[in-house]
């Protein structure tokens, strides 16, 4: 029987010192901060309100915010390049109207979904071309897209249109059970979107080019990277994600309305920034955006459990968090400089 070799006490001490002094890379610190904020809010709420610690509450956060998670994924791509997309909320509303109107006209659910996704992608392509080839500021180009998409919703109908298609309704309530708990397919689609986006950003040339453009677009061009295709591509992705988010929103509320999703683009931007993505571009992760959405969701849940606070407190707290994260980002970028 062979003897077990015990490392010298000095080696064990040095290993323990390394463990104690380990610091995660700086690029992960914003995600860690957002995760800690979420855990802290969840822990405080669990101590104050009975039932908040039920695992179904976490699953319900995913179900209720599936559309915002997908919207945040598309916004992350855009902000990583140093851009912004103000049109996504209107594209969500337009998607709900297209889905509701085409189903009312007798289209099959799958043809209706294809029309929604094609429209969002086309709008994203249009704005990407305007921004890159006509050198229009993203704020202006996407603001025009916001008014265009919202105007088209009013052309389709000024009244709310209910979705009564049986196949669409069945998709809306399709459920996956996890023991005593459940999650809807909309949440699974949102998580799959996050996983695909994380892979694209971390493991593909397109993703590396996105980060390079956000870091320094001129340097990216000198390196021979496909800057034009990538800048247009991120807005195509944002448009597609906005259309997909619109479909998930349609499944969530089973109606189309020209007044849907007013201000949702600001919620998406807030979630991305709270998730640690720099507004100047070049640094951030879609996992952080997912955590940012969950932070906003847990704030709404806490206010709902409290029952005495107005819903306006959601906006106030979101504004305070957004301001705090932007200030931290500014100090971090100045320190690096």
């Amino acid at each position: 029987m062979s003897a077990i070799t015990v490392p010298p006490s000095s080696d064990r001490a040095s290993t323990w010192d390394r463990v104690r002094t380990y610091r995660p890379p700086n690029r992960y610190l914003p995600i860690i901060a957002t995760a800690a904020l979420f855990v802290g809010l969840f822990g405080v709420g669990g101590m104050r309100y009975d039932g908040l610690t039920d695992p179904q509450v976490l699953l319900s956060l995913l179900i209720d915010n599936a559309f915002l998670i997908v919207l945040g994924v598309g916004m992350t791509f855009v902000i990583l390049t140093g851009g912004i997309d103000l049109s996504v909320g209107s594209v969500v509303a337009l998607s709900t109207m297209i889905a509701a109107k085409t189903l009312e006209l007798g289209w099959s659910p799958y043809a209706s979904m294809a029309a929604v996704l094609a429209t969002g992608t086309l709008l994203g392509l249009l704005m990407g071309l305007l921004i890159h080839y006509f050198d229009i500021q993203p704020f202006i180009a996407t603001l025009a897209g916001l008014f265009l998409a919202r105007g088209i919703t009013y052309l389709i109908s000024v009244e709310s249109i209910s979705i009564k298609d049986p196949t669409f309704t069945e998709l809306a309530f399709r459920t996956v059970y996890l023991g005593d708990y459940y999650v809807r397919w909309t949440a699974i689609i949102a998580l799959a979107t996050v996983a695909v986006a994380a892979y694209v950003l971390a493991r593909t040339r397109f993703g590396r080019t996105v980060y390079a453009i956000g870091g320094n677009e001129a340097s990216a061009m000198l390196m021979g990277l496909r800057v034009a295709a990538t800048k247009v591509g991120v807005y195509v992705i944002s448009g597609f994600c906005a259309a997909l988010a619109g479909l998930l929103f349609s499944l969530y509320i089973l109606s189309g309305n020209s007044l849907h999703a007013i201000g949702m683009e600001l919620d998406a931007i807030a979630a991305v920034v709270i998730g640690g993505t720099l507004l100047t571009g070049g640094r951030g992760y879609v996992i952080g955006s997912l955590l940012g959405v969950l932070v906003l969701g847990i704030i709404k849940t806490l206010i709902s459990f409290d029952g005495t606070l107005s819903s306006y407190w959601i906006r106030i707290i979101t504004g305070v968090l957004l301001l705090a994260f932007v200030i931290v980002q500014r100090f971090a970028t100045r320190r690096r400089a």
Side-chain angles (χ1 to χ4, degrees):
M1 187 173 182
S2 59
I4 300 176
T5 304
V6 179
S9 59
S10 59
D11 292 345
R12 293 199 302 271
S14 62
T15 301
W16 174 243
D17 289 339
R18 285 195 296 270
V19 171
R20 287 192 304 172
T21 58
Y22 171 76
R23 286 186 60 189
N26 289 337
R27 63 181 181 273
Y28 296 134
L29 291 179
I31 294 180
I32 294 172
T34 307
L37 176 62
F38 174 74
V39 172
L41 289 171
F42 190 76
V44 171
M47 291 186 292
R48 185 168 181 179
Y49 307 114
D50 293 334
L52 189 66
T53 55
D54 192 318
Q56 187 58 54
V57 173
L58 288 175
L59 295 176
S60 296
L61 279 178
L62 295 174
I63 295 170
D64 295 338
N65 295 282
F67 53 89
L68 189 56
I69 291 172
V70 174
L71 205 63
V73 167
M75 188 66 72
T76 303
F77 276 87
V78 172
I79 292 180
L80 281 174
T81 62
I84 201 75
D85 192 349
L86 299 178
S87 69
V88 293
S90 296
V91 174
V92 168
L94 177 60
S95 299
T96 66
M97 288 298 289
I98 292 175
K101 190 63 176 180
T102 52
L103 290 171
E104 186 181 57
L105 294 174
W107 289 34
S108 74
Y110 302 106
S112 176
M113 292 178 187
V116 168
L117 295 176
T119 302
T121 304
L122 183 62
L123 285 172
L125 175 63
L126 175 63
M127 287 181 287
L129 293 174
L130 287 174
I131 289 166
H132 183 74
Y133 289 103
F134 290 86
D135 200 24
I136 297 175
Q137 288 295 321
F139 181 90
I140 300 300
T142 59
L143 184 63
L146 179 153
F147 288 121
L148 174 63
R150 187 68 66 175
I152 295 174
T153 62
Y154 288 111
L155 286 177
I156 295 173
S157 177
V158 294
E159 302 292 336
S160 179
I161 303 175
S162 297
I163 296 176
K164 301 176 182 177
D165 182 84
T167 303
F168 208 87
T169 305
E170 191 272 333
L171 288 173
F173 293 102
R174 185 173 292 178
T175 303
V176 176
Y177 286 94
L178 307 170
D180 296 331
Y181 309 105
Y182 70 91
V183 65
R184 299 205 189 281
W185 271 101
T186 52
I188 295 174
I189 292 172
L191 293 178
T193 303
V194 171
V196 172
Y199 176 82
V200 169
L201 285 174
R203 300 294 181 183
T204 66
R205 176 177 292 183
F206 178 86
R208 290 189 290 271
T209 306
V210 168
Y211 282 107
I213 292 173
N216 192 312
E217 184 175 342
S219 297
M221 293 182 68
L222 292 174
M223 292 167 61
L225 299 177
R226 300 180 62 186
V227 172
T230 304
K231 282 190 69 175
V232 175
V234 295
Y235 287 94
V236 171
I237 291 172
S238 181
F240 176 85
C241 287
L244 179 57
L247 281 177
L248 297 181
F249 195 60
S250 300
L251 291 167
Y252 185 67
I253 59 173
L254 290 177
S255 71
N257 194 314
S258 54
L259 298 178
H260 280 332
I262 292 178
M264 192 179 288
E265 63 277 0
L266 304 180
D267 291 333
I269 294 170
V272 172
V273 174
I274 291 172
T277 301
L278 287 180
L279 278 172
T280 52
R283 177 177 289 190
Y285 301 93
V286 290
I287 299 297
S289 300
L290 169 62
L291 291 171
V293 172
L294 293 180
V295 166
L296 297 182
I298 196 64
I299 292 171
K300 295 177 184 177
T301 302
L302 290 174
I303 291 175
S304 175
F305 267 78
D306 184 271
T308 61
L309 296 175
S310 168
S311 60
Y312 293 114
W313 277 99
I314 297 172
R315 298 297 181 187
I316 295 171
I317 297 172
T318 300
V320 171
L321 285 176
L322 184 60
L323 181 61
F325 273 83
V326 168
I327 291 173
V328 170
Q329 286 184 5
R330 178 59 60 185
F331 277 113
T333 51
R334 283 183 178 179
R335 183 177 179 182
R336 285 205 312 272

